């Protein structure tokens, strides 16, 4: 069974044009089948401010009303996604941009309004790997933004970490899947103020303890929850760290195991 890398890049990489272009140049040269998933960066919030569209965040998650959904669809699925695809083409890496609606690849359901109403936020129900498998086997790179659909014509804002995890799970019947969460740090840190305090391995047991001790909290919790969800559903390997771990496995980063 072929190995495939599902790589999610975070907002801080997208916010820095030079860093993003350097990463895409390297990613284009990465051997073997691969999928790229990207978040939205700060651009949506910046444009919302210019257009006088209120930005409401609860626990670090965006509340998506109708205006906000229109805006993030234009930014995520339009500007950012197509710029990434164009850069990959410039490096001779054939890529196609996706939302979950394209090819019916990711179907979600609108998150219930209780206890918190996040508006048009989507929780993934299914990933349909058939079209992706055909493209990947023909050396085409799917590039996913953080938009899915409900199969009834409604687009939904969906967490990019979750999309990456669910794609890795969905492709696990066809490939040996490896999931990489890339962001500005070199891994999960035991001390948020010390970039060198990388926790190199986290298991289900040690994760529970790290949470109980308050070492891991806030935004890192949903990311790690996605990691262990993937491992419990046939994803072979999960790693968190800077983009350098993709090209040199000896670079310090965090590996996760059940």
């Amino acid at each position: 069974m072929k190995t495939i890398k599902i790589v999610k890049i975070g907002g801080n990489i997208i916010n820095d044009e030079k860093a993003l272009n350097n990463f895409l140049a390297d990613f284009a040269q990465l051997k073997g089948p691969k999928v790229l998933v990207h978040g939205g960066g700060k651009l949506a919030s910046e444009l919302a401010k210019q257009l006088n569209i209120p930005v409401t965040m609860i626990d670090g998650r965006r509340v998506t009303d109708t205006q906000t959904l229109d805006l993030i669809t234009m930014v995520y699925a339009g500007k950012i996604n197509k710029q990434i695809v164009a850069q990959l083409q410039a490096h001779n890496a054939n890529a196609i941009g996706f939302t979950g609606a394209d090819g019916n690849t990711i179907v979600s359901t609108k998150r219930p309004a209780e206890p918190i109403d996040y508006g048009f936020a989507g929780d993934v129900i299914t990933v349909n790997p058939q079209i992706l498998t055909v493209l990947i086997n023909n050396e085409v790179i799917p590039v996913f933004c953080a938009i899915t659909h409900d199969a009834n014509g409604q687009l939904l804002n969906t967490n990019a970490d979750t999309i990456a995890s669910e794609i890795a799970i969905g492709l696990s019947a066809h490939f040996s899947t490896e999931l990489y969460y890339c962001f500005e740090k070199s891994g999960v840190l035991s001390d948020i103020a010390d970039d060198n305090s990388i926790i190199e391995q986290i298991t289900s047991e040690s994760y529970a303890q790290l949470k109980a001790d308050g070492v891991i909290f806030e935004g890192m919790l949903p990311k790690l929850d996605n990691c262990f969800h993937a491992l419990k559903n046939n994803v072979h390997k999960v790693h968190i760290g800077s983009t350098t771990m993709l090209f040199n496995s000896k670079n310090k980063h965090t590996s996760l195991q059940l």
Side-chain angles (χ1 to χ4, degrees):
M1 191 179 276
K2 282 184 183 177
T3 297
I4 187 168
K5 290 180 170 64
I6 295 88
V7 179
K8 188 263 176 175
I9 50 170
N12 283 359
I13 297 170
I14 293 162
N15 295 335
D16 184 333
E17 185 178 353
K18 184 178 179 182
L20 177 61
N21 290 343
N22 287 342
F23 163 74
L24 293 172
D26 291 337
F27 181 79
Q29 304 305 316
L30 194 63
K31 301 297 183 188
K34 54 202 172 190
V35 176
L36 186 61
V37 180
H38 64 84
K42 293 178 182 174
L43 183 58
S45 295
E46 290 169 358
L47 283 175
K49 189 175 180 181
Q50 290 173 26
L51 297 169
N52 293 317
I53 297 171
V55 176
T56 304
M57 307 291 283
I58 301 174
D59 297 331
R61 297 190 178 211
R62 188 185 299 272
V63 176
T64 308
D65 61 12
T66 303
Q67 276 188 305
T68 302
L69 182 65
D70 287 346
L71 176 68
I72 64 170
T73 301
M74 287 185 273
V75 173
Y76 298 177
K79 182 175 175 62
I80 295 173
N81 189 267
K82 298 314 164 195
Q83 283 183 327
I84 287 173
V85 169
Q87 284 295 323
L88 289 172
Q89 301 292 5
H91 295 292
N92 299 310
N94 196 9
I96 295 179
F98 276 88
T99 67
D102 297 296
N104 194 34
T105 43
I106 307 175
V107 178
S108 295
T109 185
K110 186 173 179 287
R111 188 172 302 155
E114 298 292 336
I116 299 171
D117 187 357
Y118 283 100
F120 293 99
D123 295 318
V124 176
I125 303 171
T126 56
V127 171
N128 303 311
Q130 289 81 5
I131 287 175
L132 296 180
T133 302
V134 170
L135 291 171
I136 291 161
N137 285 335
N138 283 279
E139 299 184 359
V140 177
I141 305 164
V143 178
F144 275 88
C145 69
I147 301 286
T148 60
H149 77 132
D150 69 354
N152 291 303
Q154 180 64 58
L155 294 173
L156 295 166
N157 180 18
T158 304
N159 181 274
D161 286 349
T162 302
I163 287 175
S165 172
E166 295 292 348
I167 289 173
I169 293 166
L171 290 172
S172 65
H174 304 272
F175 300 90
S176 175
T177 50
E178 297 181 359
L179 178 58
Y180 295 84
Y181 286 113
C182 298
F183 69 147
E184 68 278 7
K185 304 292 184 183
S186 295
V188 181
L189 305 178
S190 61
D191 178 359
I192 196 71
D194 181 3
D195 286 350
N196 294 315
S197 64
I198 301 158
I199 306 170
E200 293 190 47
Q201 190 171 82
I202 300 176
T203 64
S204 298
E205 189 177 349
S206 67
Y207 178 40
Q209 191 61 52
L210 289 163
K211 283 195 290 186
D213 293 341
V215 175
I216 295 175
F217 56 92
E218 292 181 353
M220 191 55 71
L221 292 172
K223 190 183 293 288
L224 287 173
D225 289 343
N226 277 308
C227 291
F228 285 108
H229 173 63
L231 287 169
K232 289 171 185 172
N233 287 276
N234 302 317
V235 173
H236 186 54
K237 292 180 180 178
V238 181
H239 305 273
I240 298 176
S242 71
T243 57
T244 58
M245 68 180 170
L246 289 167
F247 314 107
N248 185 352
S249 60
K250 292 180 180 177
N251 283 3
K252 272 193 174 184
H253 63 278
T254 301
S255 296
L256 295 105
Q257 293 181 344
L258 290 176

